Amino acid sequence: MTRTAVDDHVSAAVDATNATRIAVSTVIFTLRRLPGGDTPVVALPLVRRTRDPHEGQWSLPGGWLDVAEGLDAAASRTLAETTGLAPSYLEQLYAFGAVDRSPTRVVSIVYWALIRPEIASSGVGRSGADALENVQWFDAASLPRLAFDHNEIVEYALWRLRNKVGYSRIAHGLLADMFTLAELREVYESILGRRLDPANFRRQVENSGNLIPTELFRTGSHRPARLYRYNQDVELADRGPLDARD
Amino acid sequence: MTRTAVDDHVSAAVDATNATRIAVSTVIFTLRRLPGGDTPVVALPLVRRTRDPHEGQWSLPGGWLDVAEGLDAAASRTLAETTGLAPSYLEQLYAFGAVDRSPTRVVSIVYWALIRPEIASSGVGRSGADALENVQWFDAASLPRLAFDHNEIVEYALWRLRNKVGYSRIAHGLLADMFTLAELREVYESILGRRLDPANFRRQVENSGNLIPTELFRTGSHRPARLYRYNQDVELADRGPLDARD
């Protein structure tokens, strides 16, 4: 392993066992309506690198794991530091550790997260992602060439998102607390990248036991549409025994 | 990596960023028929620790990540070194990194694996797990108190196994190339820990498109039972874009 550029704090005294460093990065998805677009698309914030390697290229938000913090905490911290965002859902995705993925040996423990569109787009003063320099939202389906293996990481995260939306309540992480069936369907359509039959969709979600109809209706240019909420007795996404750890 | 590095403790000279070390461990499952037992149980090999911390306690097979090897390679290598086993299926499970999980800071990237019963029990000369000192098979449902957070890790791996058996061909990793429906059902029953209705089970797997009937039959004390094989066009377990990486 060569100790070059990557950063300032590599000491010369470490032995080979310790020459591998751990980074934590997060793929954070939301839905965004692009100018002129019909349905929203899956979007994610990227951070422009300000030093080598890959200076000037876009990369996933992240940073080094601190020796005194847990992995989940490091994911939340580095995400907040780089983008100002706090997600509604955060889960460990995968550890990427190919030897040649960086000029020095770095294992990246990657999380994936969801954030509701109104939070992603409004931001909260200086803490909103849009307010920070060097942070920008991208359409997940048409990314530029990213730093390191980050294109590959996003591709895997998208695959996980598409899989998970099918058998869990994960769509809730992209919706307000109450929503119409059309809004819910739009989330599914954006993630899956295809249209769903409204009548079939309604039947499936109504049979799932996951949704509770409220007495409220969304009114506007169309006929009033009933608002639903998720059944809180059902987990957002079943992570099994690990849920109890946090 | 040197063998002694596994249990060595932190050298005093490393700086904070580099004081976190990476271990790779594997939860490797097979099915074993216990003496007097009616159906096989899910079993895994554990390694008795020969030095502190947790000297004398049982732990998952594993070792330190070498600076020049990928994560998958490290999982295969450390598994072979500690148990002599080479699994039929190996997949990254989760990175465990709680600050207090070890006296020094260690992030364990854990894999899970399956091995077919006849391979697990016969072993291959000295390379079989049973042939090695300090390696022993345990019933996954009744483990002693293991070293570190390894009980918690096994619990999570079992949860993943139970989930995955429902929506993938994962059971094939525990079966010979050809098998009867009763043998397949036994795998499901062992993993899920409950009896399944034979007629329902037959209907479900026949409708799944995953199985191909052969013209061969298993004969013996019962009436001849047709042998099936898995449809090789269907992936053992869909790991998405990551499958292409290996």
Side-chain angles (χ1 to χ4, degrees), chain B residues 114-194:
Chain B
L114 300 177
I115 191 162
R116 302 198 164 108
E118 74 277 17
I119 296 167
S121 61
S122 73
V124 189
R126 287 289 303 169
S127 67
D130 290 334
L132 297 177
E133 281 178 56
N134 292 318
V135 178
Q136 198 172 295
W137 290 88
F138 287 81
D139 177 355
S142 58
L143 294 178
R145 176 83 195 99
L146 306 183
F148 308 108
D149 52 358
H150 290 189
N151 288 91
E152 184 184 356
I153 293 174
V154 173
E155 188 190 0
Y156 181 63
L158 277 169
W159 176 81
R160 184 81 71 99
L161 174 66
R162 288 187 197 108
N163 266 285
K164 209 134 193 172
V165 80
Y167 62 85
S168 78
R169 281 179 40 196
I170 205 76
H172 187 47
L174 295 166
L175 285 164
D177 288 339
M178 290 192 291
F179 45 85
T180 67
L181 289 183
E183 288 162 355
L184 180 62
R185 178 165 49 81
E186 197 174 69
V187 169
Y188 276 78
E189 289 178 339
S190 296
I191 291 173
L192 299 173
R194 59 187 166 85

Side-chain angles (χ1 to χ4, degrees), chain A residues 4-71:
Chain A
T4 43
V6 89
D7 79 67
D8 0 339
H9 48 318
V10 177
S11 92
V14 295
D15 66 76
T17 305
N18 282 286
T20 302
R21 287 176 306 156
I22 302 177
V24 176
S25 298
T26 302
V27 184
I28 176 164
F29 291 125
T30 193
L31 297 185
R32 286 223 148 182
R33 211 173 287 271
L34 297 183
D38 195 20
T39 47
V41 300
V42 177
L44 74 166
L46 296 172
V47 182
R48 195 198 298 271
R49 290 183 57 81
T50 56
R51 63 180 82 181
D52 269 330
H54 301 291
E55 181 177 351
Q57 280 194 281
W58 295 95
S59 64
L60 293 170
W64 299 117
L65 174 69
D66 191 277
V67 70
E69 74 184 336
L71 301 177

Side-chain angles (χ1 to χ4, degrees), chain B residues 31-135:
Chain B
L31 297 184
R32 287 223 147 183
R33 209 173 288 273
L34 298 183
D38 194 20
T39 48
V41 299
V42 177
L44 74 164
L46 296 173
V47 182
R48 195 200 299 270
R49 290 183 58 80
T50 56
R51 60 184 78 185
D52 270 330
H54 300 292
E55 182 178 350
Q57 281 193 283
W58 295 95
S59 64
L60 293 170
W64 299 117
L65 174 67
D66 191 276
V67 71
E69 73 184 340
L71 302 177
D72 295 9
S76 296
R77 175 185 58 79
T78 58
L79 187 62
E81 285 176 359
T82 51
T83 69
L85 295 169
S88 54
Y89 177 78
L90 181 73
E91 183 190 354
Q92 197 186 103
L93 178 72
Y94 203 81
F96 292 81
V99 174
D100 60 356
R101 60 186 295 277
S102 172
T104 59
R105 186 72 197 278
V106 176
V107 171
S108 281
I109 297 174
V110 179
Y111 281 73
W112 73 292
L114 300 177
I115 191 162
R116 302 198 164 108
E118 74 277 17
I119 296 167
S121 61
S122 73
V124 189
R126 287 289 303 169
S127 67
D130 290 334
L132 297 177
E133 281 178 56
N134 292 318
V135 178

Side-chain angles (χ1 to χ4, degrees), chain A residues 43-165:
Chain A
L44 74 166
L46 296 172
V47 182
R48 195 198 298 271
R49 290 183 57 81
T50 56
R51 63 180 82 181
D52 269 330
H54 301 291
E55 181 177 351
Q57 280 194 281
W58 295 95
S59 64
L60 293 170
W64 299 117
L65 174 69
D66 191 277
V67 70
E69 74 184 336
L71 301 177
D72 294 8
S76 296
R77 174 183 61 78
T78 59
L79 186 62
E81 284 175 0
T82 52
T83 68
L85 295 169
S88 53
Y89 177 77
L90 181 72
E91 182 189 356
Q92 197 187 103
L93 179 71
Y94 203 80
F96 292 82
V99 175
D100 60 355
R101 59 185 298 276
S102 173
T104 59
R105 185 73 197 277
V106 177
V107 171
S108 281
I109 296 172
V110 179
Y111 281 73
W112 73 291
L114 299 176
I115 191 162
R116 301 198 165 109
E118 75 275 18
I119 296 167
S121 61
S122 71
V124 189
R126 287 289 302 168
S127 67
D130 291 332
L132 297 177
E133 279 178 56
N134 292 320
V135 178
Q136 198 173 294
W137 290 88
F138 288 81
D139 178 354
S142 57
L143 294 178
R145 176 84 195 97
L146 306 182
F148 308 109
D149 52 359
H150 290 188
N151 288 91
E152 184 184 357
I153 292 175
V154 173
E155 188 191 359
Y156 181 63
L158 277 169
W159 176 82
R160 183 83 70 101
L161 174 66
R162 289 190 196 107
N163 265 286
K164 208 136 193 171
V165 80

